[in-house]
Amino acid sequence: MIHRIAAFWALLGGGVLIAIMAITSLNIAAYVADYIAETWGGNVYGTTGYEDFVALAIACAGMMFLPYCQAMRGHVVVDVFANLMGQTVQRLLDKLWLVLIFCLALFLAYWMTLGMLEVRGDNALTAILGWPVWPSYVPGIASLLLWALVTSSQIFESTPQDA
Amino acid sequence: MLDRETIGIIGIGVLFLLLMLRMPVGLAMLTVGIGGNYFISLAMPAFKFAPFIKQFKTLLWGVVGNYDLSVVPLFILMGFLASHSKLSSDLFRGFNALVGRFRGGVAMAAIGACAGFGAVCGSSLATASTMGKVALPELKRLKYAPRLATGSLAAGGTLGILIPPSVALVIYAVIVEASIVDMFQAAIVPGLLAVVFFIVVIWVSVRLKPDLAPNVAKLSKQEFRTAVWRLLPVLTIFGVIILGLGLGIFTPTPAAAFGATVIMLYGLFLRFTGLAEGLTNEGLKNSILSTAVTAGMIYFILFGAEVLKIFFARAGLPAALSEWAVGSGIDPWGILIFMLIALIILGCFMDSLAMILVVIPFFWPALVELNGGDWVTAESAAFGMDIANLQIWFGILALIVVELGLITPPVGLNVFIISQMAKDTKMAEVFKGVMPFFGIELVRVALLLLFPILALYLPNILSG
């Protein structure tokens, strides 16, 4: 269940990436159209504040990928010395790292919430578009909570499923 | 109480210990980064802990929402879209139609396809496994020696790391604060050099031992025509992306976004015109989900590296290493070669991105000092070049040796993947097959060391 929510959340993040792709293509089309229109003295405008938009959108998309990455056990580990440890030790360590990740995700969610309140209090705006920055923190915080949730379900899983 | 450098060195030791205990790389970096900062605040009250912790309010957002790094998930998505649209097989079949009729040609076609697909896909392991699936059956059918077949594919998989668009180069550029465009331009000649060298290795091998490649591919006129027609669009799309970025015609983020769009549309075009399976709904969904896993993994490590960097800087480690390197009286070239060897050895054990993120922040300041400091001129510098050029040259060298780790015994991940796919070929046999390629890679590193112009020529004439 949680696994599916994480997958859905990641797909939403992918939707954000596709939005970036669409805006970029639109801008390039506008640039080309402008180049052609110039020969007749015309003008075609692309959207402004491209970098602003991309930074905000990527911040959302990137964070939204984290829970699914956890669900798939996508975080890299160095496997070389694993064989030297017994199965039980490995499993125990695995659980211990999961507990740490769980704490870390909550720790980050807490501080990012404080960060959001601060950014909102400062009324921080993006440089060109003048959009407020704080709403882009919301999916980030939600992602961290979902990450913690995914991890907690893995802590109580009886058989670790390695992806 | 311990001094801060000692705490830093203990921190490195703990980091490696945690990695050996299979702690996820990003988590290990964060644990050591946060813990280390705490101990430094105890040892040196001037470095307070509270302000450090308060950075976590915006630190993660700052890493993920960094415009320069926005190319990373887009390149990754582009790679998976190309994978799931099955453009890899079009690339291989097309090249095979062109050169498969020569002795050893099918293996050469696999190298070419690995380079093109690897560049766009960006993951060495994914390239090795995708191309393995496409090319191994054909190589087997024509009775190529397993050693040559598997060796070419394992080695070919490493080609894409350097050729733009390259996620590793983007991350290197962000760490040393170099221009991403300069790095891409610098990678073109060394990247193509590797492709040529690999093809020469195959050519020489089959000349010396013709039974390595006993048969050649024979295609009917119809098969030939189809293969070439299907090759053209893929070659055009990949060529425009690689050369457009490599020559600095496009800026990275828009190029990544537009490249991903074009590949997605072409995949959908193939599907809806019925020319091929193309990009299915399932393929699109899996592309996004795979991107989520890879990008999530990279962001976690990037974030860990950012926190670790604060700790190392507070511990004064990069500065201490630079002082040591300069004061030791060892020849700067000796230290550079030592660094490259260290990267090859570490590359056998560590993920290449994690390695770039952990090791480069140490090596780079030391190299700058060895070269003569930040403002040195090319004439008085130890390596005969200014900082901007040193950034580019060292980046290319470092990336080449990092990819060497993927085909170095005893671990060599690419070798592992290929030997799993070719079930009847033993891993030792694949390593034997890889050895000539490993050798020629050392020649490439030596050439770049002796003639830095190979990397520096394009960025210097294109960016001035």
Side-chain angles (χ1 to χ4, degrees):
Chain A
M1 180 63 188
I2 294 170
H3 191 100
R4 285 181 122 182
I5 297 173
F8 175 72
W9 192 241
L11 286 175
L12 277 184
V16 176
L17 281 190
I18 290 176
I20 295 177
M21 285 156 60
I23 299 264
T24 308
S25 306
L26 212 66
N27 255 347
I28 291 175
Y31 180 82
V32 174
D34 187 50
Y35 189 80
I36 297 166
E38 233 170 40
T39 48
W40 294 293
N43 270 316
V44 179
Y45 298 104
T47 53
T48 50
Y50 175 74
E51 297 195 7
D52 275 14
F53 168 76
V54 170
L56 284 185
I58 282 287
C60 294
M63 299 286 297
M64 289 166 91
F65 291 157
L66 288 171
Y68 185 71
C69 183
Q70 181 65 44
M72 296 304 288
R73 296 288 189 122
H75 295 299
V76 219
V77 295
V78 180
D79 253 332
V80 186
F81 306 97
N83 295 335
L84 300 178
M85 299 180 285
Q87 284 279 323
T88 329
V89 181
Q90 273 194 49
R91 207 163 298 160
L92 272 175
L93 282 175
D94 183 59
K95 295 283 174 200
L96 182 63
W97 304 152
L98 284 173
V99 171
L100 273 181
I101 291 183
F102 175 76
C103 298
L104 177 79
L106 289 183
F107 166 83
L108 291 174
Y110 170 76
W111 281 103
M112 215 172 148
T113 311
L114 291 186
M116 179 186 74
L117 295 175
E118 193 176 283
V119 168
R120 193 177 160 189
D122 294 347
N123 202 15
L125 304 173
T126 61
I128 297 165
L129 289 175
W131 289 358
V133 173
W134 72 266
S136 69
Y137 274 61
V138 178
I141 295 165
S143 303
L144 289 170
L145 293 175
L146 187 58
W147 187 7
L149 220 62
V150 170
T151 317
S152 69
S153 83
Q154 288 173 337
I155 293 173
F156 296 109
E157 243 166 31
S158 49
T159 47
Q161 36 169 281
D162 278 344
Chain B
M1 200 66 208
L2 299 167
D3 63 52
R4 60 188 186 130
E5 280 96 355
T6 315
I7 296 178
I9 291 168
I10 294 174
I12 297 180
V14 174
L15 179 69
F16 276 97
L17 182 73
L18 292 176
L19 290 178
M20 286 197 291
L21 293 175
R22 283 191 96 239
M23 188 189 246
V25 176
L27 182 65
M29 288 167 148
L30 276 163
T31 309
V32 172
I34 295 175
N37 267 302
Y38 176 71
F39 282 109
I40 283 192
S41 71
L42 292 183
M44 315 254 311
F47 292 117
K48 292 198 176 72
F49 192 58
F52 162 73
I53 282 292
K54 281 190 183 145
Q55 292 185 39
F56 281 88
K57 285 180 184 176
T58 52
L59 201 60
L60 181 56
W61 195 93
V63 170
V64 183
N66 175 345
Y67 179 77
D68 278 340
L69 287 173
S70 63
V71 296
V72 172
L74 291 167
F75 277 155
I76 295 171
L77 180 61
M78 178 167 82
F80 282 117
L81 286 169
S83 247
H84 286 286
S85 303
K86 300 175 191 70
L87 301 187
S88 49
S89 75
D90 285 358
L91 210 54
F92 171 70
R93 298 231 163 80
F95 283 147
N96 192 29
L98 296 177
V99 298
R101 69 190 103 134
F102 304 110
R103 192 178 280 279
V106 186
M108 295 178 191
I111 291 290
C114 275
F117 185 73
V120 172
C121 158
S123 154
S124 187
L125 303 180
T127 306
S129 70
T130 316
M131 293 312 304
K133 249 176 254 161
V134 178
L136 268 181
E138 178 73 1
L139 289 161
K140 205 169 166 185
R141 190 177 70 81
L142 295 172
K143 303 212 164 45
Y144 269 58
R147 180 186 296 185
L148 178 66
T150 53
S152 323
L153 285 166
T158 65
L159 287 171
I161 300 188
L162 195 62
I163 303 173
S166 154
V167 170
L169 272 183
V170 171
I171 288 174
Y172 171 83
V174 170
I175 297 175
V176 303
E177 293 169 5
S179 142
I180 296 175
V181 176
D182 281 356
M183 292 308 305
F184 281 173
Q185 290 169 345
I188 283 280
V189 174
L192 293 181
L193 200 61
V195 179
V196 173
F197 277 4
F198 281 15
I199 288 176
V200 170
V201 165
I202 296 173
W203 187 76
V204 172
S205 306
V206 297
R207 277 265 144 153
L208 295 177
K209 275 191 189 170
D211 53 332
L212 285 174
N215 298 302
V216 296
K218 289 194 191 80
L219 282 81
S220 70
K221 262 205 171 132
Q222 182 58 37
E223 283 172 322
F224 178 83
R225 213 173 297 154
T226 318
V228 173
W229 271 116
R230 292 281 291 280
L231 172 68
L232 284 177
V234 181
L235 207 57
T236 312
I237 296 172
F238 284 17
V240 168
I241 293 172
I242 293 170
L243 289 178
L245 282 164
L247 300 176
I249 302 167
F250 310 140
T251 43
T253 301
F258 191 60
T261 312
V262 171
I263 289 179
M264 184 170 78
L265 292 179
Y266 182 65
L268 292 173
F269 167 80
L270 284 180
R271 172 182 160 196
F272 288 118
T273 51
L275 283 171
E277 201 187 345
L279 186 64
T280 58
N281 288 345
E282 198 62 21
L284 181 60
K285 186 179 140 195
N286 287 335
S287 301
I288 293 176
L289 289 179
S290 306
T291 303
V293 174
T294 309
M297 179 266 286
I298 292 178
Y299 277 128
F300 193 34
I301 296 180
L302 277 170
F303 177 56
E306 192 68 24
V307 175
L308 197 62
K309 192 170 86 185
I310 301 174
F311 164 53
F312 284 155
R314 283 185 164 195
L317 278 188
L321 182 69
S322 314
E323 264 172 44
W324 173 82
V326 172
S328 68
I330 306 173
D331 184 59
W333 285 87
I335 295 188
L336 174 64
I337 289 171
F338 168 77
M339 286 176 174
L340 295 179
I341 293 174
L343 284 173
I344 297 184
I345 296 172
L346 281 171
C348 305
F349 302 101
M350 269 177 92
D351 175 71
S352 44
L353 276 181
M355 197 162 72
I356 295 173
L357 284 162
V358 176
V359 179
I360 299 295
F362 280 97
F363 285 1
W364 174 242
L367 269 183
V368 171
E369 289 307 315
L370 284 171
N371 193 41
D374 277 317
W375 311 110
V376 73
T377 56
E379 289 75 36
S380 56
F383 295 110
M385 61 183 82
D386 61 13
I387 286 298
N389 279 333
L390 186 67
Q391 274 176 336
I392 298 172
W393 180 56
F394 179 62
I396 300 298
L397 280 169
L399 241 77
I400 294 176
V401 298
V402 165
E403 47 184 297
L404 269 183
L406 293 167
I407 53 171
T408 313
V411 192
L413 275 174
N414 271 9
V415 173
F416 184 71
I417 286 186
I418 291 293
S419 75
Q420 275 199 323
M421 297 178 83
K423 291 210 170 62
D424 42 0
T425 311
K426 287 202 182 100
M427 207 154 143
E429 193 69 14
V430 188
F431 270 124
K432 274 186 205 154
V434 156
M435 275 305 127
F437 297 101
F438 188 85
I440 201 85
E441 281 289 82
L442 293 182
V443 173
R444 179 163 71 128
V445 172
L447 278 177
L448 272 163
L449 279 171
L450 294 174
F451 307 106
I453 190 81
L454 288 172
L456 300 177
Y457 182 69
L458 273 185
N460 283 339
I461 57 159
L462 290 172
S463 322

